[in-house]
Amino acid sequence: MKATEIKSYSLAEMKDKYIGQVGTAERDNYEYELRMDVLGRMIKTARQERNLTQEQLGQLIGVQKSQISKLESGTNSATIDTILKVFKALKADIHFNVTLENQYVQLV
């Protein structure tokens, strides 16, 4: 008797199959939401390490507690300006890496 072979798939193959190919609207939306989720968790972790409430962080940057909550849960798309204000208030460094037509640009 032959043992059953199990097919393995990479994460990229699974995303291509179930979410959509790179460059499609579905895939772009998924990748964007994933980045916002990761960013939200980073904000929440940094805020908690500084022993700040959402309300206190909001006061530091001039927004309501609800906006901080939405940022942390990844349900709100924020401007770069707001994200920079949040990390500055948290006394955290943030770095952006951008690739423009094979040129690497870093914003520190």
Side-chain angles (χ1 to χ4, degrees), residues 10-31:
S10 70
L11 179 58
E13 289 172 323
M14 296 297 289
K15 286 195 258 184
D16 288 348
K17 183 175 180 178
Y18 294 103
I19 298 165
Q21 297 290 319
V22 172
T24 63
E26 294 83 7
R27 182 68 169 265
D28 289 348
N29 188 46
Y30 167 80
E31 298 293 345

Side-chain angles (χ1 to χ4, degrees), residues 21-77:
Q21 297 290 319
V22 172
T24 63
E26 294 83 7
R27 182 68 169 265
D28 289 348
N29 188 46
Y30 167 80
E31 298 293 345
Y32 174 78
E33 288 176 3
L34 181 61
R35 287 188 297 269
M36 288 305 296
D37 181 58
V38 169
L39 183 62
R41 282 187 274 147
M42 289 172 26
I43 290 170
K44 182 175 183 175
T45 299
R47 175 183 60 78
Q48 290 174 333
E49 286 178 1
R50 302 292 189 266
N51 295 314
L52 293 171
T53 65
Q54 290 177 339
E55 186 170 356
Q56 290 169 326
L57 178 56
Q59 289 172 348
L60 286 172
I61 65 167
V63 300
Q64 298 293 317
K65 172 189 180 275
S66 62
Q67 183 160 352
I68 299 300
S69 177
K70 288 176 184 176
L71 278 173
E72 290 182 356
S73 65
T75 58
N76 185 22
S77 60

Side-chain angles (χ1 to χ4, degrees), residues 80-97:
I80 296 293
D81 187 50
T82 300
I83 292 168
L84 291 174
K85 285 180 185 178
V86 166
F87 282 108
K88 184 176 181 180
L90 293 169
K91 296 182 174 120
D93 289 332
I94 185 168
H95 305 273
F96 291 99
N97 298 319

